[in-house]
Amino acid sequence: MSNSESLSIPTTMRQRVIDYITQLQNDIVSALEEASVSPCQFKCDAWSRPQGGGGISRTYASSGDDATYEKAGVNISMIHGTLPPAAIKQMSSEHSSLDVNTTTALPFFAGGISLIVHPRNPNAPSAHANYRYFEVMDSTEKDAKVVGWWFGGITDLTPSYLFEEDAKEFHETLKAVCDAYGTALYPKFKQSCDDHFFIPHRKEYRGIGGIRFDDLNDEMNTILGTVDGEARPRTADDIFAFVRALGDVFTSSYMSILNRRKIMPSDERMRRWQLLRRGRYVEFNLVCERGIKFGLAAPGVNVENVLMGMPEMARWEYMSDMFEESGSAEGKMMEVLRSPKSWVRDC
C-alpha cells in the first residue's frame, strides 16, 4: 500500500483515543519526573487482560522525607471484549442509540487514562484525573458499526491546607477550557464534581472539587439537564477535542501549584493532619467511589491498577479534634470541606 493510499484511510475514534492517551501519559510522567526535587523515575508495568486488551501503568512511590511524591501514578487502559445482553439492556436505559433489541452479546471497547499524585509535603495538594471513551459495536464483523459511544471525565484537587490562590487557579483553568466549548458546561460539571466527592458518613467533601462529566455524546445529557440545549460539543470529534483540551492543561494547571508548595516548610503537626485527610481519601475510595467498585467487579481486572489512587500512608484518630480548633489552618480547610464554594466569578 502506498503512503497516499494509507493516508486516505480514516482513523477510528478508538485508535485516536489510544494514540492520545499514550502520548498524554508520556507527557505527564515526564513533567512529574522533571518537577521532582530529588531524582525520580517512574516504573513501567505493561499488563494484559485475558478477555481482551490491556494497559500500561507508570507509578512511583517513596517513603523518604525529601521525596516530592509519596505516591504517584499515570495509568492507561485499552480493553475490549463482549457485553452480555443484560448489560446492554441496562446501558440502553441511558443511551437510546443502544436500543438494538439484541439477544446476543455485543463487542465493546473502553480506553482511558487515570492519574493520581499524592505529594509528600502537606502544603501541596493531591491531584486526580480520569478521562475515558466507551463504544459498543453492532457485531463482531469487520464492517461492524458503532451503535453506542460516549466520553467521560473527572479531575479534582484535594489539599490538606487551603491556599485560595491555588483553588482559584485550578478552577479558572478548567473554566477557561469549558467556556471555549460552551459557557453552560463549567457550572454544571463543577456541581457534578462536588456532588460526586461528598462523603455521606462524614458529612464533608473529599477536597475542593473540579469538574466531572459522564455519558457525554450527541444525546441528551443527564448532568447538563435543562441547559443541554445550549451550545456544547455534540459530535464525537468535538467532544474528543474537548477531552483533549482538558487533558492537555493538567500539567500547566497542577504543576505550577505543585512547584509553589513542594518545598514549603512543614512540621509534625502538619504531617499528622495530612495523614488524617489521606484517611478520608481512603474512606471515599473504598466506601463511596462507584468507579472502584465497578472496576474490582470487572472480569480480568488488574486490581493494582484499580487501587492505584490509594495513598501510600493514611491515619485515623478516634474523635480527633484537630479541625475543631477555632481559627486554625486545619479549621479553615474544614470550612470549605463542609460547604463547597465557588472559586471563580460568574458561577
Side-chain angles (χ1 to χ4, degrees):
M1 179 181 294
S2 67
N3 289 336
S4 60
E5 289 176 325
S6 63
L7 290 174
S8 67
I9 299 175
T11 304
T12 63
M13 181 57 70
R14 175 186 305 200
Q15 189 59 51
R16 292 167 66 189
V17 168
I18 291 174
D19 292 343
Y20 174 66
I21 61 177
T22 301
Q23 183 61 53
L24 184 60
Q25 180 188 45
N26 291 332
D27 292 345
I28 293 176
V29 168
S30 295
L32 290 171
E33 290 179 339
E34 183 178 346
S36 179
V37 175
S38 55
C40 162
Q41 184 172 7
F42 279 56
K43 295 190 300 183
C44 182
D45 173 42
W47 55 273
S48 60
R49 177 175 175 269
Q51 291 82 358
I56 301 173
S57 299
R58 304 283 299 277
T59 59
Y60 176 82
S62 174
S63 58
D65 291 341
D66 62 341
T68 300
Y69 317 112
E70 192 157 71
K71 184 178 183 181
V74 187
N75 296 351
I76 60 173
S77 61
M78 301 80 67
I79 66 173
H80 55 84
T82 55
L83 290 172
I88 298 170
K89 182 178 180 180
Q90 182 179 1
M91 289 182 178
S92 66
S93 64
E94 298 181 357
H95 300 280
S96 59
S97 60
L98 277 180
D99 186 19
V100 291
N101 295 319
T102 182
T103 57
T104 59
L106 292 181
F108 77 91
F109 166 81
I113 182 169
S114 181
L115 67 92
I116 182 69
V117 184
H118 290 303
R120 177 62 173 78
N121 192 309
N123 293 289
S126 293
H128 159 256
N130 175 286
Y131 297 107
R132 56 199 178 274
Y133 170 72
F134 191 94
E135 69 178 26
V136 181
M137 312 294 288
D138 63 0
S139 74
T140 58
E141 301 299 324
K142 289 184 177 181
D143 59 349
K145 298 179 180 179
V146 176
V147 292
W149 61 269
W150 53 90
F151 288 87
I154 188 169
T155 184
D156 68 295
L157 207 63
T158 306
S160 298
Y161 288 92
L162 181 64
F163 294 91
E164 292 202 1
E165 60 268 38
D166 294 351
K168 290 177 180 178
E169 178 180 340
F170 185 73
H171 277 270
E172 286 171 353
T173 300
L174 294 176
K175 184 177 184 298
V177 174
C178 290
D179 285 355
Y181 291 86
T183 56
L185 299 183
Y186 174 79
K188 287 292 187 179
F189 291 169
K190 178 191 182 297
Q191 184 62 56
S192 174
C193 190
D194 286 341
D195 294 344
H196 179 79
F197 285 114
F198 183 63
I199 308 175
H201 60 275
R202 295 289 188 180
K203 294 181 172 58
E204 62 189 53
Y205 295 79
R206 191 177 80 174
I208 62 166
I211 61 168
R212 172 184 175 269
F213 57 95
D214 202 6
D215 300 322
L216 194 60
N217 58 12
D218 55 356
E219 302 172 352
M220 177 72 179
N221 185 261
T222 303
I223 292 175
L224 290 174
T226 57
V227 303
D228 185 79
E230 298 185 24
R232 74 162 178 93
R234 295 184 186 278
T235 68
D237 286 342
D238 288 345
I239 297 175
F240 183 41
F242 171 59
V243 171
R244 292 200 315 271
L246 289 169
D248 291 345
V249 300
F250 174 80
T251 51
S252 61
S253 64
Y254 178 64
M255 301 310 294
S256 62
I257 296 172
L258 175 67
N259 288 333
R260 285 198 296 269
R261 309 302 171 197
K262 65 187 179 184
I263 57 174
M264 288 182 65
S266 62
D267 55 27
E268 291 184 7
R269 173 190 172 88
M270 296 177 69
R271 174 62 170 166
R272 174 187 166 201
W273 175 247
Q274 180 192 47
L275 293 180
L276 285 171
R277 295 313 309 169
R278 294 270 168 87
R280 295 293 203 269
Y281 208 101
V282 171
E283 289 180 28
F284 175 83
N285 281 14
L286 295 183
V287 177
C288 309
E289 179 55 79
R290 291 168 296 181
I292 289 179
K293 295 178 182 179
F294 175 83
L296 292 175
V301 64
N302 181 329
V303 175
E304 297 293 340
N305 203 47
V306 175
L307 297 177
M308 182 265 294
M310 300 286 281
E312 192 82 352
M313 298 181 67
R315 181 184 179 99
W316 286 264
E317 295 179 7
Y318 183 74
M319 301 293 286
S320 176
D321 59 356
M322 278 195 76
F323 52 82
E324 299 295 347
E325 297 176 11
S326 177
S328 68
E330 294 80 15
K332 181 182 178 182
M333 185 74 251
M334 285 306 303
E335 289 179 9
V336 173
L337 296 180
R338 287 171 174 157
S339 180
K341 61 181 293 185
S342 174
W343 297 106
V344 297
R345 294 180 179 180
D346 304 324
C347 285

